[in-house]
Amino acid sequence: MTSLTRMPSAVAKINYILDRIDFVKLKKLAQAIPLIFMAAPVLAQQTETPQTIEKIEITGSSIKRVADEGALPIQVISREEIARSGITSAEQLVANIAANGNGGTNLASQVGIQLSTESRNNNGNSSANLRGLGASNTLVLLNGRRVSLHGAKGYAVDLNSIPLGAVERVEVLKDGASSLYGTDAIAGVINFIMRKDFQGVEATALADITQDGGGNIMRIQALGGWGDLRKDRFNVVASVTYDEQSELKGSQRSFSNGNQPERGLSTDTVGTPFATQTGRAGSALGASYLLPGSTQAYTRANLLSFQNNCASIPGMAQYEYILNDFAAARYGCTFDTGSTSVLMQPNKRVNFVGRATFAFSPSHTGFVEAVAAQSIANKTFEPLQLTTTGTLANAWYPVNGPYYQDLSAFIPTFDKTKPIAYRWRCSPCGPRETETTTDSFRILGGMEGALTGTWDYKVGLSVGESKSDSILGGGYFYTAGLISALGSGKINPWSKDGSQTAEATALLAAASANGQRLFGGKSTLFQIDGTVTGEVMKLPAGPLAAAVGFDFREESYVFSDGSITTNPIFQAPFDPSFSKVSRKIGAVFAETVIPLAKGLEATVAVRHDNYSDFGGTTNPKVSFRWAPSNAMLFRGSYGTGFRAPSFFQVYGASSESPVPGNIADPVLCPLNPNNPVFCAIRPNTRGGGNPDLKPESSKQWSLGAVFSPIKDLTATIDVWEIKREDLIYELTAQQVVANFTTFPNSFVRSADGTLTGPGAYIQAGYVNADGDITRGIDLNLQYGMPLAGGRLTASLDGTYIDSHKERVFATQEYTEFVGQWSTRSIFPRWKHTLGFTYSQGTWSGTVSQRYVHSYKDELPYGPPPAGYVDTVKAYSTFDISARYNGFKNLILRGGIKNIFNTDPPFTAHNYDFAGGAGWDPRVADPRGRAFTLSATYKF
């Protein structure tokens, strides 16, 4: 595997990324940008009077206006606020936004095997997830324009590609915006706005070190700017940032513990480092066995369990058959996979941002902007669990093997003349590793300026790409070599310390797939857009402002797996390849602000998109703003939204993987009650793309008020609701089984009529579900006051979720998810960030809190133990930081994150369907107390 301990210089990285640019599209860009600039002299012949009040474009509207106008709820996060909070990545920033949902979209949630197609190719990717409606429903912009989607994931922007160190501010639109931006904006928009018109040279170094080790973060950045746009008529700004996050292992945090049966948590696996024999017809154990005086059929048998000694091997424990509702495994052992996992992936990133701006006249400017990034993430999790069935059916332990385990002393029916079927956590195989490299870039050229005294324009043309490549490291093996090694009997599945002979080690090494390509994906974007905005006429209550524009883009995606049919790799998480697919989208949109009376205005917007693969859609939006006084403002909106299915959701090839967790055959289990052969099975499930998917649509509204009863106090409250229909939903095998009568043709059986024989599977995958409804309240408070010669400011950003209910079929009742554990997003009732900052002279200090409300925990499969608490406690952490700028040209910052070293709250969940063992990375930060220090020097 490529080492993560070295990374070439930033210049080499940038050259490497630029070498991979699609030069066909770059040629188009190079031809078009001069055309844009050639128009400047013509436009510049018009003379305009400079405006005394600068108007800017706010996210969510194409009409330029004074910044404090507008009718939509927008949260603005400044560069100083980001630095003050000790935030070091775009992922951390988005996680601190109260309106962002708690889904598995961060790096800490992507440990272990990714079970769903949505998350399997998510290696190294972090995504925004406003309202908890999924990453594909949040539009992420860079300087107001789209960037390429993640090369492997293919349906969301990778936050690791955002150069946070070069960000001037972030605008978060907490309202649907399909009427302006088109698809992906149902839940809202996050717009990262880069620093512009900077002069000088600025260097920053930052360290974020955890007290308990692991998960440390480092950053170095250089920012330079030359030229005053007003005086020199040009400005060039460039920034290079290098970030590194080190690995955080489960063994470094005590809360990462999957064996806590007294609290309702135990791993549901008998794949242990000291192997468990399993029931199979023709094996020494047979399909199942009985013990004298018992009618219970057992299918698991571990020597250490019979000896009451499972815990003699680190990480192992007695299988909790009551808690897991699997009596057939009464005499098995279990293994805490969480203790061997990585809680936070090591990640290295380099980002480059460059922008050159030239003023052709006081009213017309042209610019070229380049953004490039590379991210390298290493994913490590527990060793393979080997079960000698299916693909490994010929790998049973032979009778003549030197380590043959005879259990006839415990099981009277044990037949030692037959080979052994077993389930084994192959610790000698080593942890499974993948390394994913994602390269991305965007090159943008454009012009903006004034056409007349009241009309402005902007045009832009861009090309972008995100390309991901992943390779396998240790822990993966070619199937044929693995079968041969296991079937030889020379590998010992019952070694108490995991040691093997030199011959056995050599057999595993010869079968290793280290270095084999896992997948490669590439997403590209070509876009040209333009907008004209200005005043149409004067009305008694003010000017009637309008904007019209167009947006044309071409998106493409290609995915290729690294699987090889001549020598396949065992259980590598391959998704089948599909050839390059693309779509063209053409859109026109219009927006107008109508002043109805003094302090009262209405905004009407509409956008029509035409997709080459889905046809046309029109999405309107109306909003109002009423300010009866300077101390009070009321606002509201109603609109529709639209999201096209991702390429992967439509074109992804079908693939199979084992069902996680035991299920009951809906036909054979009722005929054979309590028989684990039919009632506790793990068949294969088949998923993949669905070419018959329809786009999602939405209807949403918001109603809010802004109050400023006293000087320097502002309070906003917004009530909102989003209703989605034709929701693109990935059905699990469990849902198909639970709705057996709805999907009778989704059960493909083998020749013997079972779901576990050759060729059998359960068809799941993407469908258009009926939909969901999400409703809540956003609250924001800002207050400032003079205090003891300085100034105290306070802020609160909170979101209350009243309801999130969804259903797959229109004939079903809605299921409420607020305050409940879920495999997808968790919807806590309340989230907030709270901060207090005191500034005086060259000093300032900040105390902040992040809070996530409690929610109902996941229930054990079987009866919970006495004293079981069914609630995941609230998660609250406090940070403190200080800033000093008393030295010339130097700013020093330091702080402590998670002052009280608060652990994530306990949850009785362990990895299957979602990340975390005893804790939930969708809610909590595993790093614990950390110390930050940064220095910024301006030359």
Side-chain angles (χ1 to χ4, degrees), residues 464-539:
E465 176 184 290
S466 176
K467 185 174 183 180
S468 295
D469 287 287
S470 186
I471 61 172
L472 298 175
Y476 286 100
F477 299 86
Y478 294 105
T479 302
L482 183 62
I483 292 174
S484 176
L486 296 174
S488 70
K490 296 177 181 179
I491 293 177
N492 182 9
W494 298 286
S495 170
K496 289 192 174 182
D497 61 0
S499 62
Q500 300 288 321
T501 65
E503 185 179 15
T505 301
L507 287 172
L508 290 174
S512 174
N514 192 331
Q516 173 64 40
R517 185 168 182 259
L518 176 61
F519 65 70
K522 183 170 74 172
S523 173
T524 61
L525 173 67
F526 176 80
Q527 182 176 18
I528 181 169
D529 62 84
T531 306
V532 175
T533 178
E535 296 180 3
V536 178
M537 65 177 69
K538 297 289 186 180
L539 295 177

Side-chain angles (χ1 to χ4, degrees), residues 148-169:
S148 296
L149 306 177
H150 184 248
K153 190 169 186 175
Y155 67 90
V157 172
D158 180 16
L159 293 176
N160 293 306
S161 68
I162 302 296
L164 190 66
V167 166
E168 177 65 29
R169 69 182 185 276

